[in-house]
């Protein structure tokens, strides 16, 4: 459970995601063959659901038939996804869903799902007999998955055996994380139930040694982070909702120094190449941000389409489409071209926030 989101419901627009990844020769190193996708045939959309109602879902939209299944995961697997699903990312032929659960309930998991079928391959518990790991986000590098947790640790999962093979102590209540230059960058948020640790730093973990090497000071309460094509990272911080204002920080992954702070109150964040898409004004506005120059552009949506509140943004690396998940409705997602024109929309479960794409080869 993210206690930052227990603040007024209109903060719904202040949620996000990280982008799906793509390499020149294949989706990523977990792919068995070096194949480039020819087209996008379907869209999985993670829907967080309402806290305490155990109604997280993964919806699916078939682009050819234009059919949408709001709770595709339950339809395929015969059981509900769980409570407060917080992240969904693709790695190779699988997608990994972080189910955060509720504090004290021992209902936290990492659900590993086959992209071709939507069938669960394994549900990895994120608790043991004495403690709960409270997972939040997942990122990947060299056939390992890395999951941040409110318990202040990063868990490492082998993507072949689908087991946790190591955990490392990093900081306080960990939120978003990103991998660049064989390093993990993870945000340390301000969390009322997990108050230990710094609340204004991005911690850096060396993946060769799997050990923390430093903290980078940023604006108070960092929660979201994503990497650009040039190696820089953007960090969204939400302040303390009182006298410390929110903002955006840029980090150079070569020097591991903050190179800029910007007075933008942003929620959702996704990056395609060196262009970041930020949700502003409680999610009512989406604007591109040039990571290289630090310049904020004009409104992204150019055709007059109105989205009530962007709860999440995902960039599809095939075609550079931008998907906006609308959290101010019962559940709806929009697909836009790279130029801001709407291509289609579809119904989802409650509080949609991040997409994973099914490709044709």
């Amino acid at each position: 459970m993210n206690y930052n989101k227990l603040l007024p419901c209109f903060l719904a627009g202040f949620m996000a995601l990280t982008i799906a990844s793509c390499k020149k020769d294949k989706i990523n190193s977990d792919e068995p063959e070096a194949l480039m996708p020819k087209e996008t045939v379907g869209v999985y959309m993670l829907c967080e659901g309402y806290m305490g109602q155990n109604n997280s879902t993964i919806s699916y939209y078939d682009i050819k038939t234009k059919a949408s299944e709001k709770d595709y995961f339950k339809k395929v697997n015969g059981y509900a996804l769980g409570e407060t699903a917080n992240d969904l990312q693709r790695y190779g032929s699988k997608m990994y869903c972080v189910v955060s659960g509720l504090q004290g309930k021992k209902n936290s998991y990492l659900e590993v799902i086959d992209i071709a079928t939507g069938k669960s391959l394994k549900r990895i518990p994120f608790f043991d007999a004495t403690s709960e790991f409270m997972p939040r986000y997942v990122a990947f590098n060299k056939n390992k998955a890395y999951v941040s947790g409110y318990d202040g640790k990063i868990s490492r999962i082998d993507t072949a055996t689908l087991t946790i093979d190591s955990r490392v102590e990093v900081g306080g209540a960990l939120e978003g994380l990103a991998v660049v230059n064989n390093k993990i960058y993870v945000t340390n948020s301000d969390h009322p139930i997990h108050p230990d640790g710094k609340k204004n730093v991005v911690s850096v973990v060396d993946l060769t040694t799997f050990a923390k090497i430093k903290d980078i000071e940023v604006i108070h309460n960092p929660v979201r982070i994503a990497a650009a094509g040039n190696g820089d990272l953007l960090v969204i911080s939400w302040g303390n909702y009182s006298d410390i204002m929110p903002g955006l920080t840029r980090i150079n992954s070569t020097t591991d120094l903050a190179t800029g702070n910007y007075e933008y109150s942003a929620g959702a964040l996704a990056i395609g190449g060196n262009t970041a898409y930020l949700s502003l004004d409680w999610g009512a506005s989406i604007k591109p941000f040039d990571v290289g120059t630090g310049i904020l552009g004009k409104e992204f949506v150019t055709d007059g389409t109105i989205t009530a509140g962007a709860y999440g943004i995902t960039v599809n690396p095939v075609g550079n489409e931008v998907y906006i998940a609308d959290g101010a409705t019962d559940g709806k997602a929009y697909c836009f071209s790279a130029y801001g024109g709407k291509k289609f929309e579809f119904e989802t479960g409650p509080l949609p926030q991040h997409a994973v794409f099914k490709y044709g080869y």
Side-chain angles (χ1 to χ4, degrees):
M1 177 171 57
N2 185 346
Y3 283 84
N4 281 309
K5 295 184 292 185
L6 289 179
L7 292 147
C9 295
F10 48 78
L11 285 175
F14 273 26
M15 294 303 300
L17 58 64
T18 53
I19 66 171
S21 62
C22 181
K23 291 187 177 181
K24 185 175 181 180
D25 58 342
K26 53 186 176 178
I27 291 296
N28 51 50
S29 60
D30 200 40
E31 286 282 4
E33 298 179 5
L35 297 175
M36 272 296 291
K38 293 181 180 178
E39 60 179 344
T40 304
V41 299
V43 185
Y44 291 100
M45 180 63 71
L46 177 64
C47 305
E48 183 181 324
Y50 302 113
M51 189 178 61
Q53 296 187 23
N54 199 43
N55 66 343
S56 295
T57 67
I58 296 177
S59 302
Y60 181 73
Y61 178 72
D62 187 298
I63 292 177
K64 183 177 180 180
T65 66
K66 300 181 181 179
S68 179
E69 183 69 41
K70 291 186 178 182
D71 198 346
Y72 188 78
F73 180 87
K74 186 174 183 179
K75 179 180 179 180
V76 171
N77 293 283
Y79 62 91
L81 182 61
E83 171 67 46
T84 316
N86 194 67
D87 196 17
L88 182 70
Q89 299 290 338
R90 177 182 181 131
Y91 193 66
S93 61
K94 308 179 188 74
M95 54 185 173
Y96 295 72
C97 183
V98 179
V99 181
S100 293
L102 293 176
Q103 185 75 38
K105 300 295 185 180
K106 291 194 174 182
N107 55 358
S108 302
Y109 301 93
L110 182 67
E111 194 85 45
V112 186
I113 304 164
D114 180 74
I115 291 178
T117 64
K119 188 73 175 177
S120 176
L121 302 173
K122 188 171 183 179
R123 172 172 274 201
I124 305 171
F126 263 64
F127 55 86
D128 56 26
T130 60
S131 61
E132 298 170 289
F133 306 162
M134 298 303 295
R136 298 300 294 155
Y137 289 88
V138 60
F140 307 92
N141 188 63
K142 298 179 180 178
N143 300 321
K144 299 288 186 179
Y146 298 90
V147 181
S148 61
Y150 276 159
D151 66 346
K153 296 181 179 181
I154 293 176
S155 301
R156 187 178 68 192
I157 296 95
D158 186 287
T159 60
T161 63
L162 298 180
T163 56
I164 299 174
D165 64 21
S166 185
R167 304 187 75 229
V168 61
E169 184 78 43
V170 174
L174 305 181
E175 282 273 12
L177 73 170
V179 176
V180 185
N181 295 336
N182 205 43
K183 293 177 285 188
I184 291 179
Y185 295 79
V186 61
T187 58
N188 289 251
S189 71
D190 188 349
H191 195 292
I193 291 183
H194 302 274
D196 295 337
K198 298 178 181 179
K199 303 173 178 62
N200 66 334
V201 297
V202 169
S203 296
V204 186
V205 174
D206 180 86
L207 290 182
T208 300
T209 60
F210 199 41
K212 177 180 169 179
I213 54 177
K214 71 176 301 183
D215 288 326
I216 303 170
E217 186 172 338
V218 296
I219 298 167
H220 186 81
N221 195 15
V223 288
R224 303 286 176 261
I225 187 168
N230 66 358
D232 284 352
L233 300 111
L234 288 185
V235 182
I236 289 176
S237 297
W238 288 353
N240 66 352
Y241 314 103
S242 177
D243 57 341
I244 302 177
M245 299 302 293
L248 183 73
T249 301
R250 181 173 56 183
I251 292 173
N252 183 301
S253 65
T254 301
T255 62
D256 286 340
L257 297 174
T259 57
N261 286 307
Y262 308 87
E263 296 180 353
Y264 302 138
S265 180
L269 164 67
I271 299 180
N274 289 324
T275 300
Y277 299 89
L278 303 174
S279 72
L280 306 167
D281 300 330
W282 312 99
S285 172
I286 307 294
K287 291 185 178 181
F289 176 86
D290 189 305
V291 180
T293 65
I295 296 175
L296 186 69
K298 298 179 180 179
E299 287 291 339
F300 167 69
V301 177
T302 57
D303 63 359
T305 300
I306 297 175
T307 59
Y311 200 60
I313 308 170
T314 311
V315 177
N316 183 357
V318 176
N320 295 316
E321 299 165 328
V322 178
Y323 284 73
I324 297 176
D326 193 340
T329 66
D330 289 336
K332 184 178 289 187
Y334 301 84
C335 173
F336 291 88
S337 73
Y339 303 102
K342 189 181 79 171
K343 299 179 71 173
F344 57 84
E345 63 182 72
F346 58 95
E347 300 296 319
T348 71
L351 293 186
Q353 51 120 308
H354 188 78
V356 163
F357 306 101
K358 182 178 178 180
Y359 298 120
Y361 292 88

